[in-house]
Amino acid sequence: MAGFRSLARQVRDPRCDLALRRYSLRKCLERFAPYGHRATWDHLCSRAGFGPEDRSPDPARLVAALEELEAARAVWLGYEAEFAERRKKEKHDGLRRPGSVDDWHRLTWGGFGVAWCDDPRVHPDEPLAEVLRRLIAALNREPGSVCPVCGGERLVWKYGLDHEPSSGPVCADCGILVPRPVLTPHALAHARRGRLLMSA
């Protein structure tokens, strides 16, 4: 099974058939897809200027989409390296029990679904790398009451998400499943109440 880097080389290789280059970009999303496969693909297509169903996109647009994905992956891999180093130090110092951020991180190792978007057509507009920087910054500070990506205040508790966890606070503005550790208990309770009020 090809890794992310070898797939990226195929996307860039002008000697490869255009269909293979597009397929290789799609396969990259099996290795790294911050919004989930379908939402990340929709995001990359819209930002690079080709349709999700376009079978023969401009090769330069494919490479632009790949470059955005690679920039985001570099941000996430840097975070994972720092996370692993921190946990190693904590274990050395006798802190064996992970915290809530660690529990969340375990579910997103490798970067799949870090900023899960259950509706593939609703996702942040900003570059993926910027979205991940904002999310990582939120994980490294005290919990807040708004979406760490867009600053939206409309957090709605949704159930039956196609993700783990299968329920949680979703930003009604940018569509991400907000990691619980970045929100205060009050913000989480408010999101739950909002879900109940909407369904009444």
Side-chain angles (χ1 to χ4, degrees):
M1 183 180 270
F4 185 95
R5 280 186 238 159
S6 63
L7 289 165
R9 280 194 296 272
Q10 288 178 344
V11 176
R12 284 194 170 88
D13 191 345
R15 297 167 300 171
C16 288
D17 174 77
L18 185 55
L20 175 62
R21 294 174 73 179
R22 180 186 180 278
Y23 173 78
S24 296
L25 180 59
R26 290 293 302 253
K27 292 294 279 183
C28 283
L29 300 184
E30 292 179 10
R31 311 305 184 273
F32 180 73
Y35 302 153
H37 190 282
R38 292 170 55 219
T40 305
W41 178 249
D42 189 81
H43 170 86
L44 292 173
C45 292
S46 64
R47 293 221 3 119
F50 62 94
E53 301 302 321
D54 188 349
R55 298 292 177 203
S56 54
D58 179 344
R61 293 180 187 272
L62 281 178
V63 172
L66 173 66
E67 287 172 350
E68 178 170 348
L69 189 64
E70 287 176 321
R73 184 171 178 262
V75 169
W76 186 251
L77 291 176
Y79 169 73
E80 285 195 334
E82 290 174 11
F83 177 88
E85 188 60 35
R86 177 180 62 81
R87 282 300 297 143
K88 182 178 175 183
K89 183 179 181 322
E90 286 173 350
K91 287 179 182 176
H92 180 268
D93 293 343
L95 181 62
R96 296 284 175 189
R97 187 170 189 175
S100 62
V101 171
D102 301 331
D103 290 340
W104 171 82
H105 188 268
R106 183 178 41 79
L107 298 172
T108 59
W109 188 259
F112 186 84
V114 175
W116 181 262
C117 297
D118 215 51
D119 182 341
R121 294 172 308 273
V122 180
H123 44 73
D125 294 327
E126 294 82 5
L128 282 171
E130 178 58 26
V131 168
L132 292 183
R133 281 188 201 98
R134 291 177 188 177
L135 192 61
I136 291 166
L139 290 165
N140 289 324
R141 65 177 179 252
E142 290 298 311
S145 59
V146 298
C147 173
V149 170
C150 72
E153 298 177 357
R154 298 184 308 138
L155 303 178
V156 180
W157 200 271
K158 294 202 175 174
Y159 294 89
L161 301 173
D162 192 19
H163 185 60
E164 181 59 40
S166 62
S167 67
V170 172
C171 177
D173 296 315
C174 72
I176 73 157
L177 171 63
V178 179
R180 293 181 200 184
V182 306
L183 296 172
T184 63
H186 177 74
L188 288 168
H190 184 73
R192 282 190 179 100
R193 282 195 306 274
R195 167 59 167 75
L196 293 172
L197 289 172
M198 288 180 67
S199 62

